[in-house]
């Protein structure tokens, strides 16, 4: 199957977990699946990628041996209809490193770096989806006009499956949840 044929096939009909799992990593990297439909992912800027890597590296260093932090891989929020998101940063249980797909019960924290074109999705849609899936912590990173990122942190209320605000950071981020971490946001 050529790349063009694969692209056409991805855009027609409901995408099932079985169908999605047959795609190559390259094909999956370009999209997210929302309620069985393909949603294109805009190409990230170098600043966006650097910020995601900075967060992932700091979280990995602070997490201890029970947790890993990484960028750019799928989290399967539900099987039917298929909803696969690809958060910018994921903190997940270290003992699930070889488990595919990564599921919400493997994940402690997800972070999204807001880019032009992803504002509504990252601020509202993904927030609600991650909370409904039971992911304990959500960080949303805004790339402010001042140059320093703003990190909005949220913690899950398990009774309502909604997030409540936990803090807003710029400059140096120091938090104790989900574990103690200090991040110099000016390094972007």
């Amino acid at each position: 199957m050529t790349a063009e044929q694969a692209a056409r096939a991805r855009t027609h009909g409901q995408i099932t977990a079985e169908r999605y799992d047959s795609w190559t990593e390259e094909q999956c990297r370009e999209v997210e699946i929302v309620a069985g439909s393909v949603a294109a992912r805009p190409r990230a800027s170098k600043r966006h990628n650097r910020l995601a890597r900075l967060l992932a590296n700091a979280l990995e260093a602070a997490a201890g041996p029970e947790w890993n932090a990484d960028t750019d891989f799928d989290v399967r929020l539900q099987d039917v209809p298929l909803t696969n998101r690809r958060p910018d940063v994921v903190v997940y249980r270290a003992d699930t490193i070889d488990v595919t797909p990564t599921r919400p019960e493997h994940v402690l924290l997800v972070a999204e770096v807001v880019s032009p074109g992803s504002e509504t999705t990252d601020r509202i849609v993904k927030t609600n989806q991650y909370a409904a899936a039971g992911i304990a912590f959500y960080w949303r990173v805004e790339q402010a006009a001042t140059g320093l990122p703003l990190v909005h942190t949220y913690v899950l209320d398990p009774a309502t499956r909604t997030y409540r605000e936990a803090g807003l950071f710029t400059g140096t981020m120091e938090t104790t949840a989900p574990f103690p971490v200090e991040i110099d946001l000016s390094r972007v």
Side-chain angles (χ1 to χ4, degrees), residues 82-96:
L82 181 62
T83 298
N84 260 16
R85 288 295 190 178
R86 194 170 271 255
D88 293 315
V89 178
V90 181
V91 176
Y92 62 96
R93 287 192 351 242
D95 64 352
T96 66

Side-chain angles (χ1 to χ4, degrees), residues 68 70 92-100 102 106:
N68 292 337
D70 215 334
Y92 62 96
R93 287 192 351 242
D95 64 352
T96 66
I97 193 165
D98 294 318
V99 175
T100 303
T102 299
H106 306 149

